[in-house]
């Protein structure tokens, strides 16, 4: 029997992202700008297939050829002829939708492999029955042969993404281990100019000079592989304040690089949600007042807070391996420290991603479930705002540049934990990611989550969102309750065999759960139990009367430690602290390994999103699809309809060129 965590369930939630009203209100020029940026993002997003696994691109092409010839409804008769049951055919559709939604055969949230929930022989029979096979039998057979083994394989190393014997990665060749990755990073850090092979794209229809210059620099970056050009484009992007159509594109987040420093491609295009943006604008305006409330000395905060652009957007396009609820970019530390950044909350994602039915809510008591359903959306909106704006946007890195100059008073700044003068800092081309490597992403997400928890206790923050103090109290309680529940749910993303975490945010939330459990005094209680169905269960509770006392003090202490370690580039101390809290074992006051099995037993699959397309027919039209596996599949087959064969040929060529690296 194959563990169910490697299948996507037939009843997985699939929702359409609604951006109809936001798109309708755009001017003709804005619609053209959004259309061409979206096309650029979708074509660039194909690179993620090559960044995910050796087989992802071939599987993508196989699916595209099947569904381009026969939509899901037509292919069903072929499935019946091939001997598939209705449940098996639905499982195939769900697998195909999952591959498109994750841009590869590993989950974007968790990095676990997923395979079709039907026998390999039956899927092969369906391929052989298909119109695509009838039209090009030799090509389809070769395509099947190139990917079918890995498509279904669940050998231990192939169950998750990772480096060396811990998993699969295409960021490094197959014979690379962690030591090799560290050596490569040291070499790259020693070079002032780094160039890599990317893709080229040219754009028009910009609304202003900043957008024009931004797009010119992006084109330069994608044509010549210049990171400096992308950084320059990001500078113009920061200056483009409050655009109606917002976008960002490039190799951005480093979550899936096992070493934690190389970016995965993403490109998004979204339209301003004015009502929600107004609420966030009030939070932005108070940033300079709220920053001094954070629990570290002023020397550890930026010399000047750069007021960011914080906007709530409805997603039109988000190309990459997954869609987040909020974003803080650019990820270049030197730009964020001295020039600024933007914060983005994705309103139509928030609206559907976290809607939950009561009977599917796990590990909470009945009273908490009702409150959770009512206040989860509003509380998460507040947490996203604080996390992105004052979490990622806060804190100073102590740096000594190539000329020996310091950006802090070396003789006067003291470590608040020890009272001693600091002795470590970043030097030359060193960055946060390159220094802290494998823990950098999760550590930073943990720091930002702690900022959100800490500052949501400030009653002035909640008044920007809610007029009633009673409502504000409920939002605070559910925000903290959601965090400790998320910490428990995070156990799904821990791999006992390799003792590694597969998802940065969920590792961060588990760490916070450990910190709050450690605080004691009955703040958080976690108990194993037996459910009404006779299977293992668990219950997690939070004493709301102790959140402002015991809880606040615990997060305050921990958050200060996180920032001091980050500011001073104390890699050794950071690893000891973070990896200690990240440890999952069967000893101590809680058997987390056993709890992990309970979490897996009762987990609900993460939702997938169906995104619209745009096309130009005299004017720009929005093409929407139903929220189903068939709708998601159709959106992708129509996304590359004009040049599908050329796109597929390029993907297979690139995949073949890289193939010797994975042997």
């Amino acid at each position: 029997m194959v563990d169910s965590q490697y299948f996507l369930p037939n009843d997985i939630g699939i929702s359409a992202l609604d951006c109809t009203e936001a798109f309708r209100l755009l001017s003709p020029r804005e619609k053209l700008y959004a259309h061409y940026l979206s096309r650029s993002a979708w074509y660039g997003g194909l690179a993620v297939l090559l960044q995910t696994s050796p087989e992802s691109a071939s599987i993508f092409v196989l699916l595209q050829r099947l569904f381009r010839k026969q939509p899901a409804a037509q292919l069903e008769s072929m499935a019946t002829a091939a001997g598939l049951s209705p449940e098996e055919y639905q499982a195939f559709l769900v697998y195909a939708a999952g591959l498109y939604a994750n841009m590869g055969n590993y989950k974007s949230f968790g990095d676990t492999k997923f395979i079709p929930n039907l026998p390999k022989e039956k899927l092969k029979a369906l391929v052989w029955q298909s119109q695509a096979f009838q039209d090009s039998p030799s090509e389809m057979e070769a395509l099947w042969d190139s990917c079918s083994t890995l498509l279904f394989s669940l050998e231990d190393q192939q169950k998750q993404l990772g480096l060396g014997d811990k998993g699969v990665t295409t960021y490094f060749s197959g014979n690379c281990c962690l030591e090799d990755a560290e050596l490569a990073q040291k070499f790259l850090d020693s070079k002032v100019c780094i160039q890599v092979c990317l893709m080229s794209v040219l754009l028009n229809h910009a609304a202003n000079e900043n957008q024009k210059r931004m797009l010119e620099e992006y084109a330069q970056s994608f044509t010549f592989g210049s990171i400096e050009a992308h950084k320059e484009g990001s500078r113009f992007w920061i200056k483009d304040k409050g655009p109606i159509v917002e976008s960002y594109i490039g190799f951005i987040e480093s979550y899936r690089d096992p070493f934690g420093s190389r970016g995965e491609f993403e490109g998004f295009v979204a339209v301003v949600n004015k009502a929600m943006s107004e609420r966030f604008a009030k939070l932005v305006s108070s940033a300079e007042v709220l920053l001094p409330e954070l629990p570290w000395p002023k020397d550890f905060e930026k010399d000047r807070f750069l007021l960011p652009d914080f906007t709530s957007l409805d997603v039109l396009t988000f190309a990459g391996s997954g869609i987040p609820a909020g974003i803080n970019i650019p990820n270049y530390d030197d730009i964020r420290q001295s020039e600024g950044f933007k914060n983005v909350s994705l309103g139509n994602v928030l609206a559907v991603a976290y809607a939950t039915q009561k009977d599917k809510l796990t590990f909470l008591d009945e009273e908490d479930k009702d409150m959770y359903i009512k206040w989860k959306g509003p509380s998460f909106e507040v947490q996203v705002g604080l996390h992105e704006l004052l979490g990622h946007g806060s804190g100073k890195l102590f740096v000594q540049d190539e000329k020996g100059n310091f950006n802090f008073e070396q003789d006067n700044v003291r470590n608040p934990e020890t009272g001693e003068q600091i002795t470590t800092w970043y030097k030359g081309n060193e960055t946060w990611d390159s220094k802290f490597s494998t823990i950098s992403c999760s550590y930073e997400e943990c720091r930002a989550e702690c900022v959100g928890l800490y500052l949501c206790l400030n009653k002035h923050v909640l008044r920007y969102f809610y007029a009633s103090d009673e409502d504000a109290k409920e939002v605070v309680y559910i925000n903290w309750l959601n965090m400790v529940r998320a910490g428990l749910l995070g156990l799904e993303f821990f791999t006992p065999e390799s003792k590694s975490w597969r998802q940065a945010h969920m590792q961060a939330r588990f760490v916070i759960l450990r910190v709050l459990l450690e605080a004691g005094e009955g703040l958080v209680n976690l108990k194993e139990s037996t459910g009404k169905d006779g299977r293992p269960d668990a219950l997690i509770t939070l004493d709301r009367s102790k959140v402002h006392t015991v809880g606040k003090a615990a997060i305050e202490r921990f958050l200060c430690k996180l920032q001091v370690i980050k500011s001073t580039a104390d890699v050794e101390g950071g690893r000891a602290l973070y990896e200690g809290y990240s440890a999952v074992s069967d000893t101590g006051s809680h058997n987390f390994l056993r709890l992990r099995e309970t979490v897996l037993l009762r987990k609900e699959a993460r939702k997938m999103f169906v995104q619209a397309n745009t096309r130009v027919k005299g004017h720009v039209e929005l093409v929407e699809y139903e929220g189903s596996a068939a709708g998601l599949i159709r959106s992708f087959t129509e996304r590359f309809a004009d040049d599908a064969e050329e796109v597929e040929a390029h993907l297979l060529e690139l995949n073949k060129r890289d193939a010797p690296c994975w042997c």
Side-chain angles (χ1 to χ4, degrees):
M1 292 290 291
V2 176
D3 192 324
S4 63
Q5 69 173 308
Y6 302 109
F7 297 134
L8 300 177
N10 278 11
D11 63 351
I12 190 171
I14 302 177
S15 300
L17 282 183
D18 181 16
C19 63
T20 308
E21 183 64 11
F23 188 81
R24 184 184 68 81
L25 295 174
L26 295 178
S27 70
R29 182 175 183 179
E30 288 166 344
K31 287 180 179 179
L32 282 168
Y33 183 66
H35 167 75
Y36 286 110
L37 282 172
S38 293
R39 301 309 298 156
S40 176
W42 284 123
Y43 280 95
L46 295 171
V48 178
L49 295 163
L50 301 167
Q51 291 185 285
T52 299
S53 71
E55 66 272 16
S56 287
S58 297
I59 300 171
F60 177 87
V61 174
L62 178 71
L63 295 174
Q64 287 288 86
R65 291 185 177 176
L66 285 174
F67 290 113
R68 278 198 294 109
K69 292 289 185 179
Q70 293 170 288
Q74 291 182 20
L75 193 60
E76 187 170 11
S77 61
M78 304 294 102
T80 302
L84 277 70
S85 69
E87 293 75 20
E88 288 171 332
Y89 183 61
Q90 178 62 20
F92 169 60
L93 294 183
V94 166
Y95 174 81
L99 186 120
Y100 288 132
N102 293 277
M103 285 309 282
N105 60 337
Y106 287 78
K107 296 174 186 175
S108 64
F109 200 87
D111 293 345
T112 306
K113 189 174 186 177
F114 58 96
I115 66 173
N117 191 11
L118 70 159
K120 181 179 179 180
E121 310 79 58
K122 288 196 174 184
L123 181 53
K124 180 179 181 180
L126 170 59
V127 172
W128 259 245
Q129 286 280 344
S130 70
Q131 188 63 50
F133 189 90
Q134 305 309 313
D135 291 349
S136 306
S138 59
E139 289 183 22
M140 290 297 287
E141 184 171 1
L143 195 52
W144 172 264
D145 289 342
S146 72
C147 66
S148 58
T149 299
L150 288 175
L151 194 155
F152 279 91
S153 175
L154 281 176
E155 292 183 12
D156 285 345
Q157 187 178 358
Q158 292 162 359
K159 289 180 178 178
Q160 64 280 316
L161 298 178
L163 190 62
D165 59 2
K166 294 183 182 294
V168 170
T169 182
T170 53
Y171 283 87
F172 297 88
S173 57
N175 61 347
C176 276
C177 60
L178 181 60
E179 290 73 19
D180 296 323
E182 290 172 342
L183 182 63
Q185 189 63 51
K186 288 178 181 178
F187 171 76
L188 293 175
D189 285 342
S190 71
K191 303 298 177 183
V192 176
C193 179
I194 304 169
Q195 292 195 332
V196 292
C197 285
L198 310 178
M199 74 278 308
S200 171
V201 101
L202 296 175
L203 305 165
N204 294 308
H205 306 288
N208 55 53
E209 189 61 27
N210 280 323
Q211 288 183 1
K212 290 178 183 176
R213 295 293 304 278
M214 170 187 79
L215 298 178
E216 287 171 359
E217 294 294 341
Y218 289 166
Q220 181 83 355
S221 172
F222 297 150
T223 303
F224 298 105
S226 169
I227 292 177
E228 284 304 318
H230 193 268
K231 291 176 73 172
E232 192 65 20
S234 298
R235 292 184 172 99
F236 286 112
W237 178 71
I238 292 168
K239 295 174 184 176
D240 184 30
K241 300 289 185 182
I244 300 300
V245 178
E246 183 63 280
S247 70
Y248 196 65
I249 190 168
F251 292 80
I252 313 300
E253 302 292 353
S254 57
Y255 300 126
R256 301 184 96 186
D257 170 12
F259 192 70
S261 71
R262 291 154 190 80
E264 182 180 72
F265 182 90
E266 70 179 40
F268 77 84
V269 182
V271 183
V272 170
N273 178 320
K274 293 183 179 179
M276 196 179 291
S277 294
E278 189 174 334
R279 294 199 291 274
F280 283 123
K282 295 176 182 177
L283 186 62
V284 171
S285 66
S286 68
E288 291 178 311
V289 176
L290 292 173
L291 279 171
E293 299 292 319
L294 292 171
W296 50 75
K298 64 178 183 179
D299 288 328
F300 287 75
E301 190 49 71
K302 293 185 177 78
D303 301 326
R304 180 173 62 91
F305 181 69
L306 299 162
L307 203 65
D309 193 9
F310 199 120
T311 311
S312 178
L313 305 169
D314 285 345
V315 170
L316 169 64
T317 293
F318 207 110
S321 64
I323 308 178
I327 311 167
N328 177 286
I329 38 184
N331 284 341
Y332 301 116
D333 282 327
D334 52 343
I335 295 179
R336 287 160 68 119
Q337 290 279 315
S338 60
E339 299 177 56
F341 52 92
K342 285 187 183 182
N343 295 270
V344 172
S345 173
L346 303 177
N348 58 344
V349 176
L350 284 168
V352 296
Y354 301 100
T356 309
Q357 297 175 343
K358 187 174 180 179
D359 61 353
K360 291 189 175 182
L361 260 182
T362 53
F363 311 130
L364 298 178
D365 66 27
E366 293 303 307
E367 184 179 348
D368 277 340
K369 285 182 180 180
D370 291 329
M371 294 180 59
Y372 187 94
I373 289 170
K374 181 177 180 180
W375 294 107
K376 171 65 189 300
S379 71
F380 199 74
E381 181 181 310
V382 172
Q383 179 69 9
V384 166
L386 293 171
H387 173 117
E388 300 295 350
L389 168 63
L390 297 172
H392 293 312
S394 63
K396 181 175 182 175
L397 301 184
F398 296 142
V399 179
Q400 181 184 18
D401 65 22
E402 295 91 340
K403 297 179 180 178
N405 300 317
F406 293 88
N407 71 340
F408 64 100
E409 295 183 12
Q410 182 193 4
D411 297 330
N412 298 327
V413 177
R414 297 192 174 273
N415 184 325
E417 298 283 310
T418 64
E420 298 176 355
Q421 187 175 322
I422 68 167
T423 57
T424 55
W425 48 80
Y426 299 85
K427 298 176 182 178
N429 291 321
E430 291 178 343
T431 66
W432 160 250
D433 284 336
S434 69
K435 285 288 286 185
F436 285 76
S437 63
T438 54
I439 67 166
S440 61
C441 289
S442 184
Y443 186 111
E444 173 60 12
E445 293 304 329
C446 186
R447 194 183 70 88
E449 292 283 47
C450 287
V451 169
L453 288 179
Y454 187 74
L455 287 180
C456 83
L457 301 176
N458 185 313
K459 60 177 62 178
H460 298 293
V461 169
L462 275 300
R463 284 175 183 161
Y464 296 135
F465 292 85
Y466 305 100
S468 163
D469 286 345
E470 288 304 310
D471 286 354
K473 288 177 183 177
E474 301 306 320
V475 167
V476 168
Y477 175 63
I478 295 303
N479 192 32
W480 278 64
L481 180 65
N482 180 57
M483 187 61 70
V484 296
R485 177 176 180 263
L488 177 60
L489 297 180
L491 287 167
E492 175 190 344
F493 303 94
F494 176 77
T495 303
E497 293 80 8
S498 60
K499 296 183 179 180
S500 61
W501 286 87
R502 307 186 310 274
Q503 215 293 320
H505 298 80
M506 299 311 281
Q507 179 183 0
R509 292 159 188 164
F510 176 76
V511 166
I512 292 171
L513 171 61
R514 291 283 308 278
V515 169
L516 295 179
L517 284 169
E518 185 183 82
E521 300 186 46
L523 172 68
V524 177
N525 281 293
L526 173 58
K527 296 180 180 179
E528 295 183 69
S529 61
T530 301
K532 294 178 181 178
D533 57 4
R535 301 188 301 173
D537 207 340
L539 177 68
I540 192 161
T541 58
L542 173 72
D543 187 336
R544 67 159 66 215
S545 70
K546 296 177 180 177
V547 168
H548 283 266
T549 53
V550 180
K552 181 179 180 181
I555 290 297
E556 184 174 54
R557 290 191 299 270
F558 186 61
L559 184 51
C560 185
K561 287 181 180 178
L562 291 176
Q563 183 57 51
V564 169
I565 287 169
K566 181 180 180 182
S567 291
T568 59
D570 180 9
V571 177
E572 185 177 340
R575 285 196 175 279
L577 177 73
Y578 202 70
E579 291 175 353
Y581 278 111
S582 298
V584 178
S585 72
D586 56 3
T587 60
S589 56
H590 296 91
N591 187 331
F592 285 116
L593 283 175
R594 189 167 63 219
L595 279 164
R596 177 181 176 273
E597 296 303 315
T598 303
V599 169
L600 289 173
L601 180 69
R602 298 189 177 275
K603 73 184 182 74
E604 181 181 3
R606 191 173 176 84
K607 286 184 179 178
M608 297 190 289
F609 301 111
V610 183
Q611 300 181 59
N613 281 322
T614 54
R615 62 188 177 200
V616 179
K617 288 195 171 181
H619 61 282
V620 182
E621 296 178 354
L622 186 70
V623 184
E624 297 179 284
Y625 306 89
E626 67 177 21
S628 66
L632 205 162
I633 291 165
R634 185 181 163 206
S635 74
F636 267 85
T637 55
E638 293 186 2
R639 199 153 278 151
F640 307 101
D642 295 339
D643 53 1
E645 292 185 3
E646 182 182 0
V647 166
E648 292 161 12
H650 280 309
L651 273 174
L652 294 178
E653 179 186 349
L654 290 168
N655 205 42
K656 182 179 180 181
R657 187 187 68 183
D658 289 346
C661 299
W662 321 135
C663 297

